[in-house]
Amino acid sequence: MCGIVGYIGNKNACEVILNGLNKLEYRGYDSSGIALNIDGKIEVYKYKGRIKNLEDRILSLDLNSGCGIGHTRWATHGAPSDRNAHPHTNMDGTIALVHNGIIENFVALKEWLINEHGVEFRSETDTEVIAHLIDHFYNGDLLDAVYKAVGKMKGAYALGVVHCDEPGKIIAVRKDSPLIVGIGKDENFIASDIPALLKYTKDVYLINNDEFVMLTKDEIKIFNENRQEIKREVFHVTWDADAAEKEGFDHFMLKEIYEQPKGIDITLNRRINEKGAINLDGITITKEDLDKINRIYIVACGTAYHAGLIGKYAIEKFAKIPVEVEVASEFRYREPFIDDTTLFIAISQSGETSDTLAALREAKNKGARILTIVNVVGSSVARESDDVFYTWAGPEIAVASTKAFTTQLISVYLIALYMAEVRGTIEKEYYDLVLRELKALPDKVEKILKNAEPVKEIAEIQHEKQHAFFIGRGVDVTVALEASLKLKEISYINSFAIPAGELKHGPIALIEDGTFLTAIATQDHLYDKMLSNIQEVKARGAYVIGVAKESNKLIEHQADKVIYIPDCIDEVTPILSIVPLQLLAYYIAVMRGCDVDKPKNLAKSVTVE
Ligand code: F6R
C-alpha cells in the first residue's frame, strides 16, 4: 500500500525515482507522482492510473534534478484522481511531501488550518494537512518544522519531505509505516521497501518508529524523537535485484509458485542438523518457558491466517498445547485473555501488516511472549518480537501469496515438532516419521509442478463460471479456504469454502446444474465421508474437481476430474494439495484476462487498517 521513493545525489533523480516506483508497483496503487527540486523551485507531476501514465507525460520533459521524492498512492481518503495523488504541497508550493499511512486527526487539523490560518485545500486527502502544517512551522529549518508538525499528528506515517530553499536535503520520518534509507556513494535514498533500491545499493538503514532522518548526498543523520542523533548499524541485503524480476515467467505469481520447492527446502533443511534435530535459529524458547505457557494465540490476516489454522492443528496434535487462531483485525479490538503465561505467534509475509502489528503490540503490552513467523528480514513485526522465525521464501512480489504460504506451513510444522520434542509429548518414531515426510516435500511439490497440464485443462473448462465452491474435512478445510481466497482475489470469481459436513446445513441449497465445486479429499480417515459428500453434490448437478492422494483412486468414480498429489502422511498434505489449486486459480485468472499480479483493489502490504 502506498510506496515512497526519494533520491538525492548526482544521478538524474527523476529516473532513479521512477525506477524505484516501478519496483514498488506490487504494493498496489491507483495513482503516482513525483516532486523534483529544480533550480530552487519544486516541480510536481502526479496522475491517476499506472506509473506508465506518469512516465509518458514527464520523460520527454528532460527534467534535470538531483533531488526529489516520488509516490504510488493506494486511495484511502478521497478517490483516486490527479488532485488526490501525492506529492502534496503547501499553498505556495515551496514544500512537497509524500506520505504512506493515515492521519487520524486530520479533520480537526484541517479545520484549524482553514479557520485560524486561512489555508485553502486542494485535495480531499488527509496527507495535504501535513504539507500545510509543516509550512505553518517552517522558519528556515525543514527538520525543525517536520518535528513540530509531527508533534501535532496522530496516526501512522512514513514521510519524505523537500523544501525549495533547502535543495540539497530530504527529511524523512516514520511511525507505524515502513521506511528504509539506502546508503550510496555521493548519493542517498529513502524507500518503503528494499526492491526500490536494489539497482543502486544493498546497504540500508532500517528506520524505527518515531525516528527522523536528514539526508544530503554526502551524509545520513538519524535522530530520535528527542532530537538526539543516534547510530544505526548498516543492514546488508543478501538477495539481489534478479530475485525481484520475472526471469522468463509470464507473471510473478507463476514464478513464485514454481519457486516453492526451493523455498520449502531452504526453510526446512537449514533448520535440521545432521542428527535430525530441529534447530530454530532465532527462537530461544526453553523447556522452562514452554512449561509456563498455558495458552497460545496465533494471529494473522488473510493467507497468513490460514497458515495459522494449520499451525493450531500441528501444535495441538504434536505439542498438546491449546491454541486459538484469530484474524488480527478482530483480535486487536476484543479483550483476549493474555498474561505472561501466553505465547503469541504472529504470522506475516511482509511483517508490516498494520492489524497484525497492532495485535502484536496489544499482546506484548499485556505480558505475552511474542514469537513471529515472517518473511521480510528486518520488518516491523520481526523487530518488535522476542523470537523470530524467518520463512526464507525470498521476495514475494505478486499480490497473491503462494510461496510465503507454503513456507509458513513448513515453519509451523517445525515449531510444533520442536515444542513437542522439548515438552516430551511426541514419540521418537512419530517425530522421525513426520520429519522424513516433511523432507520429502520439495521433490513432491516439484512433481506436481511438472504435471500442470491436467490443471490447465480444468481451468479451460471452468474459467467462465461466476461462482465456485471448495469443500474439505479436517486440514482440508483450511486448504479449501486458502484455495478459495486465491481464486477470488485474482479471478474475481465469487468463491467460498466450507467444511463438507456443513453442506447440508445450508449451502447445498446453492448447488445446481454445472456448479463448479472442488472437493479436497486427502485425509485417509475422512476419505469415505468426502466421497459421500461428492455424491450428494453430484446428485444436484455440480461439476466436481476432486483432489486426492495418487493411490486413492476410488474418487474417479465420483468426481468429474481428479487432481492427484503424491502419497504422503495425512499430517502434511496441505503443503502439497494447495499447489495445484494455486495453479488452478492462476490459469483461470489468466484465461479471464485478469491482471494476475496486481488484482484490482488489493495491495501487497496492507499498512493501514
Ligand atoms: C492473499 C494475501 C493476503 C495476505 C494478508 C496478510 O493472497 O496475500 O491475504 O496474506 O494481507 O499479509 P502479510 O502476510 O504480509 O501480513
Side-chain angles (χ1 to χ4, degrees):
M1 254 169 190
C2 295
I4 289 178
V5 182
Y7 174 78
I8 189 153
N10 297 330
K11 293 197 176 84
N12 181 321
C14 184
E15 278 174 30
V16 176
I17 292 167
L18 286 173
N19 184 284
L21 291 181
N22 274 302
K23 300 290 179 222
L24 294 183
E25 265 204 308
Y26 72 91
R27 296 171 70 83
Y29 72 104
D30 41 52
S31 50
S32 62
I34 190 165
L36 298 165
N37 209 326
I38 301 180
D39 299 331
K41 273 176 55 193
I42 301 284
E43 292 194 17
V44 177
Y45 303 87
K46 50 184 193 155
Y47 304 102
K48 183 182 164 184
R50 293 284 184 216
I51 296 170
K52 175 92 176 52
N53 212 10
L54 172 69
E55 286 174 338
D56 286 349
R57 305 209 197 179
I58 65 171
L59 280 178
S60 57
L61 301 178
D62 208 11
L63 300 166
N64 198 359
S65 166
C67 172
I69 49 178
H71 191 263
T72 47
R73 172 174 189 253
W74 191 89
T76 55
H77 296 66
S81 67
D82 293 356
R83 251 169 8 114
N84 289 336
H86 299 209
H88 287 281
T89 57
N90 58 336
M91 271 166 59
D92 60 10
T94 51
I95 295 166
L97 67 88
V98 286
H99 168 218
N100 175 10
I102 287 182
I103 304 306
E104 285 163 6
N105 60 338
F106 90 100
V107 175
L109 289 172
K110 192 168 175 174
E111 271 177 20
W112 178 71
L113 285 162
I114 293 171
N115 298 336
E116 306 285 321
H117 302 284
V119 170
E120 285 169 25
F121 277 77
R122 284 159 301 194
S123 76
E124 300 140 88
T125 64
D126 52 337
T127 301
E128 191 183 342
V129 162
I130 313 171
H132 299 300
L133 261 187
I134 295 174
D135 182 33
H136 174 74
F137 289 115
Y138 188 72
N139 204 359
D141 179 349
L142 187 57
L143 178 62
D144 176 66
V146 172
Y147 262 108
K148 288 178 175 151
V150 162
K152 297 269 176 211
M153 287 158 36
K154 288 199 184 110
Y157 42 83
L159 298 177
V161 193
V162 289
H163 194 294
C164 68
D165 293 342
E166 301 182 49
K169 205 183 273 179
I170 298 177
I171 303 296
V173 56
R174 153 185 193 171
K175 182 166 187 290
D176 293 343
S177 288
L179 181 72
I180 56 166
V181 170
I183 309 161
K185 188 166 171 351
D186 301 327
E187 59 183 3
N188 290 308
F189 312 78
I190 57 168
S192 300
D193 201 358
I194 290 167
L197 306 183
L198 277 182
K199 183 170 175 197
Y200 308 100
T201 181
K202 285 177 156 190
D203 288 332
V204 301
Y205 291 129
L206 304 173
I207 304 304
N208 292 328
N209 271 345
D210 301 312
E211 289 181 349
F212 294 71
V213 190
M214 188 177 73
L215 295 95
T216 65
K217 78 181 177 60
D218 304 309
E219 66 176 353
I220 297 165
K221 288 188 171 185
I222 305 174
F223 304 93
N224 64 17
E225 57 191 328
N226 301 320
R227 304 193 183 210
Q228 288 150 337
E229 192 174 343
I230 45 182
K231 291 276 161 252
R232 176 67 28 89
E233 269 183 33
V234 175
F235 176 83
H236 186 73
V237 181
T238 48
W239 40 280
D240 55 25
D242 290 350
E245 299 296 335
K246 283 193 215 141
E247 291 171 357
F249 285 89
D250 287 344
H251 296 96
F252 279 111
M253 182 177 174
L254 190 61
K255 177 191 169 219
E256 288 159 7
I257 289 173
Y258 274 82
E259 282 174 342
Q260 291 181 110
K262 187 171 146 214
I264 293 170
D265 184 44
I266 296 176
T267 307
L268 181 71
N269 285 318
R270 289 205 195 154
R271 266 66 179 246
I272 301 172
N273 66 23
E274 300 108 42
K275 292 187 192 134
I278 296 173
N279 163 29
L280 299 182
D281 32 38
I283 298 184
T284 54
I285 296 181
T286 60
K287 174 159 175 33
E288 290 70 51
D289 297 330
L290 279 177
D291 285 344
K292 268 200 297 187
I293 287 165
N294 288 329
R295 180 198 303 269
I296 297 179
Y297 283 109
I298 304 183
V299 176
C301 303
T303 288
Y305 165 74
H306 297 154
L309 294 174
I310 300 289
K312 171 184 168 72
Y313 163 80
I315 294 173
E316 289 185 345
K317 187 168 183 72
F318 305 147
K320 318 283 182 219
I321 309 174
V323 181
E324 281 187 47
V325 194
E326 200 162 340
V327 288
S329 53
E330 288 300 315
F331 181 90
R332 62 183 290 192
Y333 290 118
R334 62 180 190 89
E335 289 174 23
F337 298 110
I338 301 174
D339 57 23
D340 59 1
T341 66
T342 309
L343 175 66
F344 177 97
I345 304 181
I347 307 181
S348 176
Q349 187 286 127
S350 63
E352 300 295 347
T353 302
S354 152
D355 283 322
T356 307
L357 205 48
L360 179 158
R361 288 178 185 147
E362 174 83 13
K364 198 171 181 173
N365 284 341
K366 291 188 172 154
R369 181 169 183 142
I370 313 291
L371 186 163
T372 57
I373 298 170
V374 62
N375 194 38
V376 177
V377 176
S379 56
S380 303
V381 161
R383 279 184 281 163
E384 297 193 26
S385 303
D386 300 307
D387 300 287
V388 183
F389 188 88
Y390 284 112
T391 43
W392 291 343
E396 192 178 66
I397 306 292
V399 165
S401 190
T402 53
K403 62 177 181 171
F405 178 65
T406 43
T407 54
Q408 283 162 356
L409 294 188
I410 290 291
S411 310
V412 293
Y413 282 113
L414 284 179
I415 290 169
L417 283 176
Y418 172 81
M419 286 178 173
E421 194 193 19
V422 170
R423 280 167 55 84
T425 52
I426 193 165
E427 296 287 332
K428 172 92 174 77
E429 269 164 40
Y430 183 41
Y431 174 94
D432 288 344
L433 170 72
V434 178
L435 214 49
R436 254 199 327 276
E437 289 278 326
L438 287 173
K439 282 184 182 171
L441 288 173
D443 287 345
K444 291 182 180 176
V445 173
E446 195 76 66
K447 189 171 164 195
I448 294 172
L449 293 171
K450 282 196 177 130
N451 188 25
E453 235 14 75
V455 178
K456 222 184 259 180
E457 278 166 26
I458 296 169
E460 280 291 354
I461 302 167
Q462 297 295 323
H463 73 273
E464 282 174 350
K465 293 278 163 70
Q466 288 312 313
H467 307 280
F469 294 80
F470 290 82
I471 60 170
R473 285 174 179 262
V475 282
D476 287 343
V477 175
T478 305
V479 177
L481 285 167
E482 175 56 11
S484 171
L485 176 63
K486 260 345 45 124
L487 183 67
K488 77 172 74 131
E489 68 181 326
I490 60 169
S491 74
Y492 317 137
I493 290 177
N494 175 19
S495 158
F496 80 96
I498 37 162
E502 278 292 289
L503 270 172
K504 289 197 205 66
H505 301 286
I508 202 162
L510 296 168
I511 307 295
E512 56 188 22
D513 253 358
T515 299
F516 169 22
L517 185 143
T518 302
I520 305 154
T522 69
Q523 301 298 290
D524 290 345
H525 67 296
L526 297 166
Y527 189 62
D528 292 343
K529 293 200 184 307
M530 279 304 296
L531 294 188
S532 304
N533 290 127
I534 295 174
Q535 268 176 352
E536 284 156 13
V537 291
K538 280 294 298 172
R540 285 153 183 89
Y543 186 93
V544 177
I545 317 298
V547 179
K549 289 183 196 161
E550 61 193 0
S551 56
N552 287 346
K553 293 274 193 297
L554 265 185
I555 194 169
E556 283 177 14
H557 302 295
Q558 324 281 346
D560 293 277
K561 296 273 175 199
V562 182
I563 298 171
Y564 285 113
I565 59 166
D567 286 341
C568 60
I569 55 169
D570 279 1
E571 289 82 336
V572 302
T573 56
I575 299 177
L576 296 177
S577 51
I578 192 59
V579 175
L581 297 175
Q582 294 167 340
L583 281 173
L584 184 64
Y586 171 79
Y587 289 126
I588 288 179
V590 171
M591 288 170 195
R592 288 166 75 92
C594 301
D595 188 349
V596 173
D597 282 340
K598 296 187 282 290
K600 67 175 156 57
N601 304 338
L602 289 178
K604 181 68 183 162
S605 182
V606 184
T607 51
V608 296
E609 248 192 285

